[in-house]
Amino acid sequence: MIDTEESCEIKKIERVDIGKFDGISRFLNLLGNRTRIAILAAISKYGEACACELQPALGIPQPTITTHLRKMYDIGLLKQREVWKYSFYSISPQYANLVDDIMKNQESFESRR
Amino acid sequence: MIDTEESCEIKKIERVDIGKFDGISRFLNLLGNRTRIAILAAISKYGEACACELQPALGIPQPTITTHLRKMYDIGLLKQREVWKYSFYSISPQYANLVDDIMKNQESFESRR
DNA sequence: ATCTCATATATGAATATCATGATATGACAA
DNA sequence: TTGTCATATCATGATATTCATATATGAGAT
């Protein structure tokens, strides 16, 4: 018997195209990293932040922070504003509510550490 | 010079404990998988679903589906209801709104395929 | 031109995740 | 007890991700 053969006859769930969830899952996957969430928390709290101030706050190397910022920028989650030698990142308006909600609910997940 | 030395003096972002974002990021990370989002989409649409009906709908092997269901159940995202030889999974009430929002916004991400 | 400083990129090792075939479990029917 | 069927777990190879070190870029000051 081959995979495609249907088994139970409970209910007919119509064909689902997994591929169409590629975009949103890549976006959500980006949010599923504690370092990136921590960066987002700081940016959310202060409105914007540059890598050089995130570096001592998070206690991780600058390239690590820059790489995470870049990924979030690439997918449209962050905006970038360059001033003098600094590059400030802020949350894109379209995702501000989402990030707010996440930060609000963050504490309810702390017990799972 | 050591990593811990502070560099720029733009603004003092207070120390961030990355570890406290462990729980929420693991939760979001679970959502960041296209197969799991597809499963959630089907469950969300039909209210509940068992593995044997998801299998032909998604066109992937049963162990793959069961494994994803189990992960989402383990973290509390899904509820389980066993009837006869079937095991029906549904979205936990506390996350129903979140999943709804994701499904509503799903199409805006389709272009990123 | 050289130094400084913030940022960005390259590379790679360790780790995590994914999907699958094989196998196990467990309830029920014959 | 044997067969069936839905579900669950295991083992594994392939792939992806993470984070660090080393290095590069580029603007501004000296």
PDB file of all heavy atoms in Angstrom, chain A residues 8 11 14-16 20 22 29 34 45 48 52 55 57 75 95 106 112, chain B residues 3 8 11 14-16 20 22 29 34 45-46 48 52 57 75 95 106 112:
ATOM      1  N   CYS A   8      -8.604   6.423   7.342  1.00  0.00           N
ATOM      2  CA  CYS A   8      -9.854   6.551   8.065  1.00  0.00           C
ATOM      3  C   CYS A   8     -10.868   7.374   7.283  1.00  0.00           C
ATOM      4  O   CYS A   8     -10.543   8.118   6.383  1.00  0.00           O
ATOM      5  CB  CYS A   8      -9.618   7.173   9.437  1.00  0.00           C
ATOM      6  SG  CYS A   8      -9.378   8.953   9.425  1.00  0.00           S
ATOM      7  N   LYS A  11     -13.866  12.101   8.307  1.00  0.00           N
ATOM      8  CA  LYS A  11     -14.281  13.416   7.818  1.00  0.00           C
ATOM      9  C   LYS A  11     -13.354  13.758   6.664  1.00  0.00           C
ATOM     10  O   LYS A  11     -12.185  13.394   6.670  1.00  0.00           O
ATOM     11  CB  LYS A  11     -14.101  14.421   8.960  1.00  0.00           C
ATOM     12  CG  LYS A  11     -14.297  15.860   8.593  1.00  0.00           C
ATOM     13  CD  LYS A  11     -13.689  16.805   9.625  1.00  0.00           C
ATOM     14  CE  LYS A  11     -13.810  16.369  11.068  1.00  0.00           C
ATOM     15  NZ  LYS A  11     -13.200  17.277  12.028  1.00  0.00           N
ATOM     16  N   GLU A  14     -10.223  18.819   3.256  1.00  0.00           N
ATOM     17  CA  GLU A  14      -9.765  19.046   1.885  1.00  0.00           C
ATOM     18  C   GLU A  14      -8.247  19.255   1.826  1.00  0.00           C
ATOM     19  O   GLU A  14      -7.619  19.688   2.789  1.00  0.00           O
ATOM     20  CB  GLU A  14     -10.516  20.217   1.230  1.00  0.00           C
ATOM     21  CG  GLU A  14     -10.293  21.562   1.863  1.00  0.00           C
ATOM     22  CD  GLU A  14     -11.177  22.625   1.198  1.00  0.00           C
ATOM     23  OE1 GLU A  14     -12.322  22.310   0.797  1.00  0.00           O
ATOM     24  OE2 GLU A  14     -10.706  23.765   1.089  1.00  0.00           O
ATOM     25  N   ARG A  15      -7.718  18.944   0.688  1.00  0.00           N
ATOM     26  CA  ARG A  15      -6.281  19.011   0.442  1.00  0.00           C
ATOM     27  C   ARG A  15      -5.698  20.337   0.936  1.00  0.00           C
ATOM     28  O   ARG A  15      -6.213  21.403   0.648  1.00  0.00           O
ATOM     29  CB  ARG A  15      -6.038  18.860  -1.063  1.00  0.00           C
ATOM     30  CG  ARG A  15      -4.625  18.485  -1.435  1.00  0.00           C
ATOM     31  CD  ARG A  15      -4.400  16.968  -1.223  1.00  0.00           C
ATOM     32  NE  ARG A  15      -3.064  16.542  -1.650  1.00  0.00           N
ATOM     33  CZ  ARG A  15      -1.944  16.942  -1.040  1.00  0.00           C
ATOM     34  NH1 ARG A  15      -2.002  17.756  -0.018  1.00  0.00           N
ATOM     35  NH2 ARG A  15      -0.766  16.508  -1.468  1.00  0.00           N
ATOM     36  N   VAL A  16      -4.593  20.226   1.666  1.00  0.00           N
ATOM     37  CA  VAL A  16      -3.903  21.419   2.170  1.00  0.00           C
ATOM     38  C   VAL A  16      -2.565  21.559   1.471  1.00  0.00           C
ATOM     39  O   VAL A  16      -1.795  20.603   1.413  1.00  0.00           O
ATOM     40  CB  VAL A  16      -3.671  21.313   3.694  1.00  0.00           C
ATOM     41  CG1 VAL A  16      -2.860  22.495   4.197  1.00  0.00           C
ATOM     42  CG2 VAL A  16      -4.986  21.211   4.438  1.00  0.00           C
ATOM     43  N   LYS A  20       1.995  26.930   0.916  1.00  0.00           N
ATOM     44  CA  LYS A  20       1.472  28.290   1.034  1.00  0.00           C
ATOM     45  C   LYS A  20       1.686  28.884   2.418  1.00  0.00           C
ATOM     46  O   LYS A  20       1.428  30.057   2.641  1.00  0.00           O
ATOM     47  CB  LYS A  20      -0.008  28.334   0.640  1.00  0.00           C
ATOM     48  CG  LYS A  20      -1.002  28.027   1.710  1.00  0.00           C
ATOM     49  CD  LYS A  20      -2.425  28.266   1.193  1.00  0.00           C
ATOM     50  CE  LYS A  20      -3.452  27.924   2.264  1.00  0.00           C
ATOM     51  NZ  LYS A  20      -4.828  28.174   1.829  1.00  0.00           N
ATOM     52  N   ASP A  22       4.614  28.832   3.805  1.00  0.00           N
ATOM     53  CA  ASP A  22       6.054  29.056   3.862  1.00  0.00           C
ATOM     54  C   ASP A  22       6.408  30.440   4.402  1.00  0.00           C
ATOM     55  O   ASP A  22       7.271  30.576   5.270  1.00  0.00           O
ATOM     56  CB  ASP A  22       6.638  28.905   2.454  1.00  0.00           C
ATOM     57  CG  ASP A  22       7.767  27.907   2.426  1.00  0.00           C
ATOM     58  OD1 ASP A  22       7.716  26.950   3.213  1.00  0.00           O
ATOM     59  OD2 ASP A  22       8.687  28.095   1.624  1.00  0.00           O
ATOM     60  N   ASN A  29       9.151  31.714  12.573  1.00  0.00           N
ATOM     61  CA  ASN A  29      10.361  31.022  12.972  1.00  0.00           C
ATOM     62  C   ASN A  29      11.437  32.006  13.420  1.00  0.00           C
ATOM     63  O   ASN A  29      12.207  31.745  14.340  1.00  0.00           O
ATOM     64  CB  ASN A  29      10.892  30.177  11.818  1.00  0.00           C
ATOM     65  CG  ASN A  29      11.999  29.249  12.265  1.00  0.00           C
ATOM     66  OD1 ASN A  29      11.843  28.525  13.233  1.00  0.00           O
ATOM     67  ND2 ASN A  29      13.117  29.296  11.581  1.00  0.00           N
ATOM     68  N   ARG A  34      15.372  33.063  21.278  1.00  0.00           N
ATOM     69  CA  ARG A  34      15.372  33.874  22.499  1.00  0.00           C
ATOM     70  C   ARG A  34      16.241  35.122  22.378  1.00  0.00           C
ATOM     71  O   ARG A  34      15.934  36.154  22.962  1.00  0.00           O
ATOM     72  CB  ARG A  34      15.775  33.035  23.702  1.00  0.00           C
ATOM     73  CG  ARG A  34      17.170  32.481  23.632  1.00  0.00           C
ATOM     74  CD  ARG A  34      17.485  31.616  24.843  1.00  0.00           C
ATOM     75  NE  ARG A  34      18.930  31.444  24.971  1.00  0.00           N
ATOM     76  CZ  ARG A  34      19.522  30.998  26.056  1.00  0.00           C
ATOM     77  NH1 ARG A  34      18.817  30.693  27.117  1.00  0.00           N
ATOM     78  NH2 ARG A  34      20.834  30.870  26.100  1.00  0.00           N
ATOM     79  N   LYS A  45      11.024  48.398  24.066  1.00  0.00           N
ATOM     80  CA  LYS A  45      10.998  49.200  25.289  1.00  0.00           C
ATOM     81  C   LYS A  45      11.546  50.610  25.069  1.00  0.00           C
ATOM     82  O   LYS A  45      11.028  51.581  25.612  1.00  0.00           O
ATOM     83  CB  LYS A  45      11.813  48.489  26.371  1.00  0.00           C
ATOM     84  CG  LYS A  45      11.826  49.184  27.717  1.00  0.00           C
ATOM     85  CD  LYS A  45      12.529  48.314  28.745  1.00  0.00           C
ATOM     86  CE  LYS A  45      12.585  49.010  30.111  1.00  0.00           C
ATOM     87  NZ  LYS A  45      13.309  48.177  31.104  1.00  0.00           N
ATOM     88  N   GLU A  48      13.876  52.433  19.844  1.00  0.00           N
ATOM     89  CA  GLU A  48      14.859  52.024  18.853  1.00  0.00           C
ATOM     90  C   GLU A  48      16.164  51.739  19.574  1.00  0.00           C
ATOM     91  O   GLU A  48      16.343  52.109  20.720  1.00  0.00           O
ATOM     92  CB  GLU A  48      15.044  53.091  17.760  1.00  0.00           C
ATOM     93  CG  GLU A  48      15.586  54.398  18.270  1.00  0.00           C
ATOM     94  CD  GLU A  48      15.829  55.415  17.139  1.00  0.00           C
ATOM     95  OE1 GLU A  48      15.420  55.143  16.003  1.00  0.00           O
ATOM     96  OE2 GLU A  48      16.438  56.454  17.426  1.00  0.00           O
ATOM     97  N   CYS A  52      25.516  48.727  19.106  1.00  0.00           N
ATOM     98  CA  CYS A  52      26.536  48.985  20.123  1.00  0.00           C
ATOM     99  C   CYS A  52      25.962  49.175  21.517  1.00  0.00           C
ATOM    100  O   CYS A  52      26.674  49.052  22.499  1.00  0.00           O
ATOM    101  CB  CYS A  52      27.407  50.170  19.731  1.00  0.00           C
ATOM    102  SG  CYS A  52      26.571  51.761  19.806  1.00  0.00           S
ATOM    103  N   GLN A  55      24.752  45.447  22.575  1.00  0.00           N
ATOM    104  CA  GLN A  55      25.852  44.529  22.888  1.00  0.00           C
ATOM    105  C   GLN A  55      26.134  44.421  24.388  1.00  0.00           C
ATOM    106  O   GLN A  55      26.115  43.320  24.924  1.00  0.00           O
ATOM    107  CB  GLN A  55      27.090  44.950  22.089  1.00  0.00           C
ATOM    108  CG  GLN A  55      28.217  43.948  22.105  1.00  0.00           C
ATOM    109  CD  GLN A  55      29.204  44.247  23.196  1.00  0.00           C
ATOM    110  OE1 GLN A  55      29.641  45.376  23.327  1.00  0.00           O
ATOM    111  NE2 GLN A  55      29.544  43.243  23.993  1.00  0.00           N
ATOM    112  N   ALA A  57      24.147  45.383  26.797  1.00  0.00           N
ATOM    113  CA  ALA A  57      22.907  45.052  27.505  1.00  0.00           C
ATOM    114  C   ALA A  57      22.630  43.557  27.484  1.00  0.00           C
ATOM    115  O   ALA A  57      22.169  42.981  28.459  1.00  0.00           O
ATOM    116  CB  ALA A  57      21.733  45.816  26.903  1.00  0.00           C
ATOM    117  N   ILE A  75      13.476  40.489   6.699  1.00  0.00           N
ATOM    118  CA  ILE A  75      12.121  39.962   6.563  1.00  0.00           C
ATOM    119  C   ILE A  75      11.073  41.050   6.792  1.00  0.00           C
ATOM    120  O   ILE A  75       9.871  40.808   6.664  1.00  0.00           O
ATOM    121  CB  ILE A  75      11.892  38.761   7.507  1.00  0.00           C
ATOM    122  CG1 ILE A  75      10.883  37.793   6.877  1.00  0.00           C
ATOM    123  CG2 ILE A  75      11.445  39.200   8.863  1.00  0.00           C
ATOM    124  CD1 ILE A  75      10.901  36.407   7.425  1.00  0.00           C
ATOM    125  N   TYR A  95       4.131  45.638  12.382  1.00  0.00           N
ATOM    126  CA  TYR A  95       4.303  44.528  13.310  1.00  0.00           C
ATOM    127  C   TYR A  95       4.363  44.988  14.766  1.00  0.00           C
ATOM    128  O   TYR A  95       4.586  44.181  15.665  1.00  0.00           O
ATOM    129  CB  TYR A  95       5.564  43.740  12.970  1.00  0.00           C
ATOM    130  CG  TYR A  95       5.515  43.121  11.597  1.00  0.00           C
ATOM    131  CD1 TYR A  95       6.437  43.471  10.620  1.00  0.00           C
ATOM    132  CD2 TYR A  95       4.529  42.204  11.269  1.00  0.00           C
ATOM    133  CE1 TYR A  95       6.377  42.921   9.351  1.00  0.00           C
ATOM    134  CE2 TYR A  95       4.460  41.651  10.014  1.00  0.00           C
ATOM    135  CZ  TYR A  95       5.389  42.008   9.062  1.00  0.00           C
ATOM    136  OH  TYR A  95       5.326  41.464   7.805  1.00  0.00           O
ATOM    137  N   GLN A 106       4.785  37.646  27.463  1.00  0.00           N
ATOM    138  CA  GLN A 106       6.066  36.996  27.707  1.00  0.00           C
ATOM    139  C   GLN A 106       6.139  36.351  29.085  1.00  0.00           C
ATOM    140  O   GLN A 106       6.587  35.221  29.225  1.00  0.00           O
ATOM    141  CB  GLN A 106       7.181  38.035  27.518  1.00  0.00           C
ATOM    142  CG  GLN A 106       8.571  37.493  27.572  1.00  0.00           C
ATOM    143  CD  GLN A 106       9.068  37.392  28.990  1.00  0.00           C
ATOM    144  OE1 GLN A 106       9.348  36.311  29.460  1.00  0.00           O
ATOM    145  NE2 GLN A 106       9.166  38.509  29.684  1.00  0.00           N
ATOM    146  N   ARG A 112       8.150  28.277  32.029  1.00  0.00           N
ATOM    147  CA  ARG A 112       8.603  27.124  31.213  1.00  0.00           C
ATOM    148  C   ARG A 112      10.110  27.067  31.032  1.00  0.00           C
ATOM    149  O   ARG A 112      10.598  26.287  30.244  1.00  0.00           O
ATOM    150  CB  ARG A 112       7.952  27.192  29.825  1.00  0.00           C
ATOM    151  CG  ARG A 112       6.477  27.409  29.932  1.00  0.00           C
ATOM    152  CD  ARG A 112       5.853  27.290  28.585  1.00  0.00           C
ATOM    153  NE  ARG A 112       4.425  27.583  28.679  1.00  0.00           N
ATOM    154  CZ  ARG A 112       3.502  27.072  27.908  1.00  0.00           C
ATOM    155  NH1 ARG A 112       3.841  26.234  26.958  1.00  0.00           N
ATOM    156  NH2 ARG A 112       2.238  27.388  28.028  1.00  0.00           N
TER     157      ARG A 112
ATOM    158  N   ASP B   3      35.110  41.491  25.790  1.00  0.00           N
ATOM    159  CA  ASP B   3      33.725  41.644  25.340  1.00  0.00           C
ATOM    160  C   ASP B   3      32.863  42.517  26.243  1.00  0.00           C
ATOM    161  O   ASP B   3      32.029  43.277  25.790  1.00  0.00           O
ATOM    162  CB  ASP B   3      33.051  40.277  25.246  1.00  0.00           C
ATOM    163  CG  ASP B   3      32.974  39.804  23.819  1.00  0.00           C
ATOM    164  OD1 ASP B   3      33.204  40.638  22.916  1.00  0.00           O
ATOM    165  OD2 ASP B   3      32.693  38.658  23.622  1.00  0.00           O
ATOM    166  N   CYS B   8      29.728  52.243  22.891  1.00  0.00           N
ATOM    167  CA  CYS B   8      29.093  53.537  22.644  1.00  0.00           C
ATOM    168  C   CYS B   8      28.347  54.031  23.863  1.00  0.00           C
ATOM    169  O   CYS B   8      28.004  53.261  24.753  1.00  0.00           O
ATOM    170  CB  CYS B   8      28.163  53.444  21.445  1.00  0.00           C
ATOM    171  SG  CYS B   8      26.571  52.710  21.802  1.00  0.00           S
ATOM    172  N   LYS B  11      22.990  55.570  24.934  1.00  0.00           N
ATOM    173  CA  LYS B  11      21.822  55.430  25.799  1.00  0.00           C
ATOM    174  C   LYS B  11      22.069  54.199  26.640  1.00  0.00           C
ATOM    175  O   LYS B  11      22.680  53.250  26.174  1.00  0.00           O
ATOM    176  CB  LYS B  11      20.588  55.259  24.906  1.00  0.00           C
ATOM    177  CG  LYS B  11      19.320  54.858  25.610  1.00  0.00           C
ATOM    178  CD  LYS B  11      18.273  54.287  24.667  1.00  0.00           C
ATOM    179  CE  LYS B  11      18.265  54.830  23.264  1.00  0.00           C
ATOM    180  NZ  LYS B  11      17.231  54.252  22.398  1.00  0.00           N
ATOM    181  N   GLU B  14      19.188  48.965  29.934  1.00  0.00           N
ATOM    182  CA  GLU B  14      19.509  48.149  31.101  1.00  0.00           C
ATOM    183  C   GLU B  14      19.661  46.682  30.727  1.00  0.00           C
ATOM    184  O   GLU B  14      19.112  46.212  29.739  1.00  0.00           O
ATOM    185  CB  GLU B  14      18.469  48.335  32.215  1.00  0.00           C
ATOM    186  CG  GLU B  14      17.061  47.895  31.856  1.00  0.00           C
ATOM    187  CD  GLU B  14      16.086  48.231  32.982  1.00  0.00           C
ATOM    188  OE1 GLU B  14      16.229  49.310  33.628  1.00  0.00           O
ATOM    189  OE2 GLU B  14      15.183  47.428  33.207  1.00  0.00           O
ATOM    190  N   ARG B  15      20.451  46.016  31.522  1.00  0.00           N
ATOM    191  CA  ARG B  15      20.787  44.605  31.327  1.00  0.00           C
ATOM    192  C   ARG B  15      19.546  43.787  30.988  1.00  0.00           C
ATOM    193  O   ARG B  15      18.520  43.863  31.657  1.00  0.00           O
ATOM    194  CB  ARG B  15      21.428  44.076  32.613  1.00  0.00           C
ATOM    195  CG  ARG B  15      22.236  42.812  32.424  1.00  0.00           C
ATOM    196  CD  ARG B  15      23.600  43.119  31.803  1.00  0.00           C
ATOM    197  NE  ARG B  15      24.420  41.906  31.656  1.00  0.00           N
ATOM    198  CZ  ARG B  15      24.140  40.891  30.845  1.00  0.00           C
ATOM    199  NH1 ARG B  15      23.057  40.948  30.096  1.00  0.00           N
ATOM    200  NH2 ARG B  15      24.942  39.848  30.770  1.00  0.00           N
ATOM    201  N   VAL B  16      19.678  42.995  29.948  1.00  0.00           N
ATOM    202  CA  VAL B  16      18.589  42.115  29.542  1.00  0.00           C
ATOM    203  C   VAL B  16      18.981  40.670  29.817  1.00  0.00           C
ATOM    204  O   VAL B  16      20.055  40.229  29.417  1.00  0.00           O
ATOM    205  CB  VAL B  16      18.281  42.283  28.036  1.00  0.00           C
ATOM    206  CG1 VAL B  16      17.212  41.290  27.601  1.00  0.00           C
ATOM    207  CG2 VAL B  16      17.852  43.707  27.729  1.00  0.00           C
ATOM    208  N   LYS B  20      15.201  34.719  30.122  1.00  0.00           N
ATOM    209  CA  LYS B  20      13.784  34.822  30.495  1.00  0.00           C
ATOM    210  C   LYS B  20      12.867  34.774  29.283  1.00  0.00           C
ATOM    211  O   LYS B  20      11.651  34.701  29.430  1.00  0.00           O
ATOM    212  CB  LYS B  20      13.541  36.081  31.334  1.00  0.00           C
ATOM    213  CG  LYS B  20      13.249  37.338  30.581  1.00  0.00           C
ATOM    214  CD  LYS B  20      12.887  38.458  31.557  1.00  0.00           C
ATOM    215  CE  LYS B  20      12.631  39.759  30.825  1.00  0.00           C
ATOM    216  NZ  LYS B  20      12.242  40.852  31.717  1.00  0.00           N
ATOM    217  N   ASP B  22      13.160  32.413  27.094  1.00  0.00           N
ATOM    218  CA  ASP B  22      13.251  31.028  26.652  1.00  0.00           C
ATOM    219  C   ASP B  22      11.883  30.413  26.365  1.00  0.00           C
ATOM    220  O   ASP B  22      11.677  29.789  25.318  1.00  0.00           O
ATOM    221  CB  ASP B  22      13.944  30.198  27.738  1.00  0.00           C
ATOM    222  CG  ASP B  22      15.125  29.447  27.186  1.00  0.00           C
ATOM    223  OD1 ASP B  22      15.756  29.977  26.250  1.00  0.00           O
ATOM    224  OD2 ASP B  22      15.411  28.351  27.676  1.00  0.00           O
ATOM    225  N   ASN B  29       8.803  29.387  18.274  1.00  0.00           N
ATOM    226  CA  ASN B  29       9.588  28.556  17.374  1.00  0.00           C
ATOM    227  C   ASN B  29       8.767  27.372  16.849  1.00  0.00           C
ATOM    228  O   ASN B  29       8.905  26.976  15.695  1.00  0.00           O
ATOM    229  CB  ASN B  29      10.834  28.038  18.086  1.00  0.00           C
ATOM    230  CG  ASN B  29      11.791  27.390  17.122  1.00  0.00           C
ATOM    231  OD1 ASN B  29      12.146  27.973  16.107  1.00  0.00           O
ATOM    232  ND2 ASN B  29      12.206  26.189  17.421  1.00  0.00           N
ATOM    233  N   ARG B  34       6.274  25.265   8.632  1.00  0.00           N
ATOM    234  CA  ARG B  34       5.152  25.291   7.708  1.00  0.00           C
ATOM    235  C   ARG B  34       4.232  24.090   7.823  1.00  0.00           C
ATOM    236  O   ARG B  34       3.030  24.203   7.634  1.00  0.00           O
ATOM    237  CB  ARG B  34       5.645  25.438   6.268  1.00  0.00           C
ATOM    238  CG  ARG B  34       6.469  24.281   5.780  1.00  0.00           C
ATOM    239  CD  ARG B  34       6.974  24.522   4.369  1.00  0.00           C
ATOM    240  NE  ARG B  34       7.400  23.269   3.768  1.00  0.00           N
ATOM    241  CZ  ARG B  34       7.645  23.097   2.479  1.00  0.00           C
ATOM    242  NH1 ARG B  34       7.496  24.115   1.653  1.00  0.00           N
ATOM    243  NH2 ARG B  34       8.030  21.941   2.007  1.00  0.00           N
ATOM    244  N   LYS B  45      -9.751  25.208  10.987  1.00  0.00           N
ATOM    245  CA  LYS B  45     -10.882  25.259  10.062  1.00  0.00           C
ATOM    246  C   LYS B  45     -11.982  24.266  10.430  1.00  0.00           C
ATOM    247  O   LYS B  45     -13.168  24.576  10.313  1.00  0.00           O
ATOM    248  CB  LYS B  45     -10.372  24.977   8.655  1.00  0.00           C
ATOM    249  CG  LYS B  45     -11.429  25.067   7.566  1.00  0.00           C
ATOM    250  CD  LYS B  45     -10.796  24.906   6.194  1.00  0.00           C
ATOM    251  CE  LYS B  45     -11.831  24.947   5.078  1.00  0.00           C
ATOM    252  NZ  LYS B  45     -11.216  24.718   3.748  1.00  0.00           N
ATOM    253  N   TYR B  46     -11.565  23.080  10.862  1.00  0.00           N
ATOM    254  CA  TYR B  46     -12.545  22.024  11.131  1.00  0.00           C
ATOM    255  C   TYR B  46     -12.853  21.838  12.613  1.00  0.00           C
ATOM    256  O   TYR B  46     -13.644  20.977  12.970  1.00  0.00           O
ATOM    257  CB  TYR B  46     -12.068  20.701  10.534  1.00  0.00           C
ATOM    258  CG  TYR B  46     -12.042  20.699   9.030  1.00  0.00           C
ATOM    259  CD1 TYR B  46     -10.929  21.151   8.320  1.00  0.00           C
ATOM    260  CD2 TYR B  46     -13.160  20.271   8.293  1.00  0.00           C
ATOM    261  CE1 TYR B  46     -10.917  21.166   6.932  1.00  0.00           C
ATOM    262  CE2 TYR B  46     -13.149  20.276   6.913  1.00  0.00           C
ATOM    263  CZ  TYR B  46     -12.021  20.727   6.240  1.00  0.00           C
ATOM    264  OH  TYR B  46     -12.008  20.746   4.856  1.00  0.00           O
ATOM    265  N   GLU B  48     -11.495  20.358  14.971  1.00  0.00           N
ATOM    266  CA  GLU B  48     -10.577  19.344  15.489  1.00  0.00           C
ATOM    267  C   GLU B  48     -10.241  18.383  14.365  1.00  0.00           C
ATOM    268  O   GLU B  48     -10.917  18.363  13.325  1.00  0.00           O
ATOM    269  CB  GLU B  48     -11.177  18.595  16.688  1.00  0.00           C
ATOM    270  CG  GLU B  48     -12.422  17.797  16.365  1.00  0.00           C
ATOM    271  CD  GLU B  48     -12.933  17.014  17.574  1.00  0.00           C
ATOM    272  OE1 GLU B  48     -12.400  17.207  18.675  1.00  0.00           O
ATOM    273  OE2 GLU B  48     -13.854  16.199  17.383  1.00  0.00           O
ATOM    274  N   CYS B  52      -5.182  10.573  11.225  1.00  0.00           N
ATOM    275  CA  CYS B  52      -5.482   9.776  10.036  1.00  0.00           C
ATOM    276  C   CYS B  52      -6.232  10.557   8.974  1.00  0.00           C
ATOM    277  O   CYS B  52      -6.247  10.163   7.807  1.00  0.00           O
ATOM    278  CB  CYS B  52      -6.256   8.520  10.412  1.00  0.00           C
ATOM    279  SG  CYS B  52      -7.936   8.795  10.965  1.00  0.00           S
ATOM    280  N   ALA B  57      -4.798  14.616   3.747  1.00  0.00           N
ATOM    281  CA  ALA B  57      -5.006  16.023   3.407  1.00  0.00           C
ATOM    282  C   ALA B  57      -3.685  16.750   3.165  1.00  0.00           C
ATOM    283  O   ALA B  57      -3.562  17.573   2.264  1.00  0.00           O
ATOM    284  CB  ALA B  57      -5.799  16.730   4.502  1.00  0.00           C
ATOM    285  N   ILE B  75       3.525  21.402  24.407  1.00  0.00           N
ATOM    286  CA  ILE B  75       3.729  22.790  24.834  1.00  0.00           C
ATOM    287  C   ILE B  75       2.415  23.466  25.187  1.00  0.00           C
ATOM    288  O   ILE B  75       2.390  24.630  25.598  1.00  0.00           O
ATOM    289  CB  ILE B  75       4.504  23.580  23.759  1.00  0.00           C
ATOM    290  CG1 ILE B  75       5.345  24.666  24.416  1.00  0.00           C
ATOM    291  CG2 ILE B  75       3.569  24.144  22.698  1.00  0.00           C
ATOM    292  CD1 ILE B  75       6.481  25.182  23.573  1.00  0.00           C
ATOM    293  N   TYR B  95      -5.139  29.762  23.230  1.00  0.00           N
ATOM    294  CA  TYR B  95      -4.363  30.165  22.064  1.00  0.00           C
ATOM    295  C   TYR B  95      -5.216  30.299  20.805  1.00  0.00           C
ATOM    296  O   TYR B  95      -4.698  30.556  19.720  1.00  0.00           O
ATOM    297  CB  TYR B  95      -3.240  29.164  21.803  1.00  0.00           C
ATOM    298  CG  TYR B  95      -2.247  29.085  22.946  1.00  0.00           C
ATOM    299  CD1 TYR B  95      -2.066  27.903  23.645  1.00  0.00           C
ATOM    300  CD2 TYR B  95      -1.517  30.212  23.321  1.00  0.00           C
ATOM    301  CE1 TYR B  95      -1.185  27.830  24.701  1.00  0.00           C
ATOM    302  CE2 TYR B  95      -0.641  30.143  24.375  1.00  0.00           C
ATOM    303  CZ  TYR B  95      -0.462  28.949  25.072  1.00  0.00           C
ATOM    304  OH  TYR B  95       0.406  28.887  26.110  1.00  0.00           O
ATOM    305  N   GLN B 106      -2.254  35.074   7.248  1.00  0.00           N
ATOM    306  CA  GLN B 106      -1.437  34.142   6.483  1.00  0.00           C
ATOM    307  C   GLN B 106      -1.240  34.592   5.036  1.00  0.00           C
ATOM    308  O   GLN B 106      -0.136  34.541   4.502  1.00  0.00           O
ATOM    309  CB  GLN B 106      -2.082  32.747   6.556  1.00  0.00           C
ATOM    310  CG  GLN B 106      -1.271  31.670   5.935  1.00  0.00           C
ATOM    311  CD  GLN B 106      -1.526  31.540   4.468  1.00  0.00           C
ATOM    312  OE1 GLN B 106      -0.615  31.730   3.691  1.00  0.00           O
ATOM    313  NE2 GLN B 106      -2.751  31.270   4.067  1.00  0.00           N
ATOM    314  N   ARG B 112       5.795  35.766  -0.162  1.00  0.00           N
ATOM    315  CA  ARG B 112       7.209  35.511   0.186  1.00  0.00           C
ATOM    316  C   ARG B 112       7.642  34.093  -0.130  1.00  0.00           C
ATOM    317  O   ARG B 112       8.717  33.679   0.278  1.00  0.00           O
ATOM    318  CB  ARG B 112       7.419  35.765   1.679  1.00  0.00           C
ATOM    319  CG  ARG B 112       6.886  37.105   2.088  1.00  0.00           C
ATOM    320  CD  ARG B 112       7.276  37.398   3.504  1.00  0.00           C
ATOM    321  NE  ARG B 112       6.671  38.654   3.935  1.00  0.00           N
ATOM    322  CZ  ARG B 112       7.184  39.470   4.829  1.00  0.00           C
ATOM    323  NH1 ARG B 112       8.331  39.182   5.374  1.00  0.00           N
ATOM    324  NH2 ARG B 112       6.580  40.577   5.175  1.00  0.00           N
TER     325      ARG B 112
END
